[in-house]
Each structure stands twice: as structure tokens, then as C-alpha cells.
Amino acid sequence: MLENIKKSFSKEIKGISDLKNLEHLRVKYLGRKGELTQILRSLKDLSIEKRRQIGPLAQKLKKEIEEILTKKLKNLKTKNLELKPIIDFTKPGEKIKLGHLHPLTKIDEEIRQIFLSMNFSVVEGPEVENEHYNFDALNIPPNHPARDMWDTFWLKEPKNSKFKIQNSKLLLRTHTSPVQIRYMETHNPPFQIIAPGRCFRYEATDASHETTFHQVEGLMIGKNITLANLKGLLTEFMKKFYGNDVKLHWQPSYFPFVEPGLELLMGCTVCNGKGCSVCGQTGWIEVIPCGMVHRNVLENVKLDPREWQGFAFGMGLDRIAMMKYKIDDIRLFYSGDLRFIKQF
């Protein structure tokens, strides 16, 4: 019986050319109901003499069959790998997922391009500032009540700091206006610049306020510069950025570094002027505080206010983006939520 099984298996294994038939052959001889398995299970019914005679031979045959099956399996796998192409040229290509710019980065670049087209230069400055450039030179001395308008992140003074000025503490800048002061100290007018960058204020967050935000501030200094130049420039910017149908409103305001001071408001795009949490239920939102540069600021940078005049303005990049994309919460920009970011 064992000899017949061995001959039959040897004959069949030669005709096997694929893995599926090899598995069928294994089951036929070594499976739960396989021919050799049945013989091994019947040993318990035989006499001791028969068991001693047939048992070792059956185990030896099982081992031989297993070795032959294992070798055949290895050969078939190697053959299949050699025949299978490494690259399937018929398979459709997979589109590579690429990253994209953050919405604030896109808005920043768009604003830069608009002002560059108006012959403005882009100027940047340090995010770690000192009191002199952040407050004092901008007509906000220590005892000025306007100092309370800025909730400031103060920093410890490192030794041998390049920002060191006598009796002037370090801080994270609360606006990009210090860049204007630094530029006016080292350049002769006339000039017109914008100063984009990140700012920091220690304040409670809500739908329209964050501790970290971005600003773009602008400055034009020359002779015979008036409010008409300021209003014309910003009106043109708003139309280029939002479209000709943008709703604008001007109102007087107070800022210590300009006199007179104005605010440019636009109709809230989130609620279409009906009133919401972003616009404080008014239907309007302040987007660009501005005004004529205060004479004290000009004198602080050694410019004669009788000869030179100019205007300054500033806009919160985040708020501008909220109106552009109709976003109802400024905190979404910094949430890291990919569901939000992927929309842009």
C-alpha cells in the first residue's frame, strides 16, 4: 500500500506546474482525509507487530513527501517571480498628492503683488523688538494711556543683546509699525513701503482675535502727501483685492502714531451685512486703520514735518482673509485641521 502511494505521488508531482494544483496534491496525500493520513490513523487498529513494521515506513514516506512538496513550492514561487514584470506598464498612473500653500500665505502673496504693482517696496523686520521701536518712537511713551491698547508679551533681556537700548525692555512685537521706524531711520524720503509680518498680543481669543496674527502695514512719505492720496490708494487696493462691488465706509478714529486717524470699514462678507459674531452684529468690520503720520513720529526719526508728510496704514492679514473666504472664526487658520486647510 505504501509503495503504491509513493509511486502514485512521484508520478503526479512531475505534472504539477502551478501553486493551485500543488496544493490539491498536498491535500490528496497529506490532508485531513489524505491517502497517507488515513494509513497513519489506521495504525491504532493494527497489532503491535504490524504497527512496528508499517509505522516507521509510513512516517518516513510522509517526511519524503513533505520535503518534495516544499522543494516544489519553492521552485514554483521563484519561477512566478521571474515571469512577473517588476513594473506593470499597463497599469494607470497614480496621481501624486502634492501639498499647497496655506490660505494666509496665499493672501500675503496676493497683497504683496498688488502693492508692488503700485510701486511699493516690501520691507521686513525682527519679530523680537524693544520698547523704543514698538512704542516710544511711535508716539506711545510709557505714561501714554494708549499703551493699554496693546497686551504685550514681555521677554527677559539676554546678555549682550543686539536689541539693547538703555531703559528699553524686549518684547514680541505687537504690530509691524516698528519696521517703519527702522526704515525711516536708515532711508531718505520720498519712499513708499509695506511691512508684512507676524505679530503677537497677550489677549483673549475669540472669533476675530488671536494671540498670534499677521499684519501688513504701509507707509508713504513725501512732499504734499494728503488724506486724498491715502483714501485713493486704499480704495484702489480694496477694489483690486475684493472686486469693484466691495462696500466701503470711512470713519474717524484715534491712533497715537497718526493725526488725523481714520478707519476703513467694509461690509461683512460672512453675513452679507446682516450682523454676526465676526462683525459684532453691525454688518461692518474694520479692516484698515490708517491716518497721516504724526509729526512727533517724523521728528523721532529726524524728519522735518514742515517739509515731509505722509500716511500710514495697517491691516490684519487674518481678518482680510476671513472676509475674502467668508470664514467665521480666525482661530481656524491656526487649528491645524486638515479638513479646513484642504479647502484652499
Side-chain angles (χ1 to χ4, degrees):
M1 179 66 72
L2 292 176
E3 189 65 27
N4 291 337
I5 292 176
K6 183 175 181 180
K7 289 180 180 180
S8 175
F9 174 80
S10 300
K11 182 179 180 180
E12 291 186 54
I13 192 70
K14 294 178 181 179
I16 298 298
S17 60
D18 57 68
L19 296 175
K20 184 177 180 181
N21 288 327
L22 181 66
E23 176 61 15
H24 288 163
L25 185 65
R26 185 195 69 80
V27 173
K28 179 179 179 180
Y29 290 96
L30 300 182
R32 186 183 304 173
K33 297 181 179 180
E35 295 181 16
L36 184 58
T37 304
Q38 293 297 328
I39 293 177
L40 290 170
R41 286 181 176 177
S42 66
L43 290 176
K44 66 180 187 300
D45 300 325
L46 301 178
S47 63
I48 296 177
E49 290 77 10
K50 287 285 185 179
R51 268 185 279 175
R52 288 177 177 174
Q53 180 185 358
I54 299 174
L57 295 175
Q59 290 293 345
K60 181 180 179 182
L61 179 58
K62 179 182 179 183
K63 186 175 180 181
E64 289 177 359
I65 291 176
E66 287 176 342
E67 290 176 351
I68 294 172
L69 288 172
T70 300
K71 185 177 180 180
K72 188 71 173 181
L73 176 64
K74 184 177 180 181
N75 291 338
L76 289 176
K77 285 184 176 180
T78 302
K79 185 177 180 180
N80 286 341
L81 287 175
E82 291 174 351
L83 295 175
K84 185 177 180 181
I86 298 176
I87 300 176
D88 184 359
F89 294 100
T90 65
K91 184 179 179 181
E94 295 182 1
K95 186 177 180 180
I96 299 175
K97 293 183 178 180
L98 299 176
H100 62 278
L101 297 176
H102 189 279
L104 291 180
T105 304
K106 295 171 66 175
I107 291 294
D108 177 76
E109 181 60 26
E110 188 174 348
I111 292 175
R112 289 177 186 232
Q113 291 304 318
I114 291 175
F115 280 105
L116 285 171
S117 71
M118 297 179 177
N119 203 32
F120 275 71
S121 299
V122 179
V123 181
E124 297 182 350
E127 294 180 352
V128 175
E129 267 296 359
N130 58 61
E131 270 187 299
H132 172 75
Y133 287 108
N134 198 82
F135 293 125
D136 300 338
L138 289 162
N139 198 37
I140 317 175
N143 59 348
H144 200 293
R147 189 75 76 103
D148 296 334
M149 294 168 57
W150 285 269
D151 297 315
T152 308
F153 287 103
W154 297 100
L155 304 175
K156 289 185 178 181
E157 182 78 29
K159 293 182 179 180
N160 302 320
S161 171
K162 63 180 179 179
F163 298 106
K164 182 68 176 178
I165 293 182
Q166 189 174 5
N167 299 323
S168 183
K169 295 187 293 184
L170 285 185
L171 54 97
L172 293 178
R173 67 181 180 188
T174 58
H175 46 184
T176 58
S177 298
V179 180
Q180 300 177 9
I181 299 297
R182 291 179 177 275
Y183 191 86
M184 286 190 285
E185 285 182 340
T186 55
H187 294 77
N188 295 320
F191 47 70
Q192 48 202 53
I193 63 170
I194 59 168
R198 188 168 53 170
C199 306
F200 312 86
R201 292 183 188 175
Y202 182 60
E203 60 183 359
T205 61
D206 56 31
S208 57
H209 295 85
E210 254 289 6
T211 56
T212 301
F213 56 98
H214 295 77
Q215 277 191 345
V216 177
E217 299 205 13
L219 174 71
M220 177 183 285
I221 299 293
K223 295 185 177 181
N224 302 317
I225 303 296
T226 68
L227 273 178
N229 301 117
L230 169 62
K231 295 182 69 174
L233 176 81
L234 294 183
T235 299
E236 182 65 17
F237 164 75
M238 293 294 285
K239 288 183 177 180
K240 284 188 174 183
F241 190 76
Y242 290 107
N244 290 328
D245 58 345
V246 62
K247 296 179 180 179
L248 302 177
H249 174 68
W250 296 87
Q251 68 183 26
S253 188
Y254 167 75
F255 306 100
F257 29 80
V258 293
E259 180 62 38
L262 299 173
E263 286 180 346
L264 176 56
L265 286 71
M266 67 174 290
C268 181
T269 61
V270 176
C271 63
N272 293 321
K274 297 178 181 179
C276 64
S277 60
V278 176
C279 62
Q281 309 302 327
T282 65
W284 294 91
I285 186 166
E286 174 201 346
V287 287
I288 307 182
C290 53
M292 301 300 292
V293 179
H294 200 290
R295 64 179 295 117
N296 290 348
V297 175
L298 294 173
E299 291 174 349
N300 286 337
V301 293
K302 306 298 188 293
L303 292 179
D304 187 350
R306 292 169 296 183
E307 181 181 3
W308 301 104
Q309 302 85 42
F311 60 76
F313 60 87
M315 63 186 80
L317 195 70
D318 314 66
R319 189 169 296 185
I320 291 287
M322 290 174 69
M323 293 297 100
K324 180 81 167 181
Y325 297 123
K326 298 183 179 181
I327 297 170
D328 60 2
D329 197 322
I330 192 174
R331 292 167 291 192
L332 289 172
F333 290 121
Y334 306 97
S335 66
D337 190 337
L338 292 180
R339 295 172 300 176
F340 171 76
I341 299 298
K342 286 181 178 179
Q343 297 179 64
F344 305 92

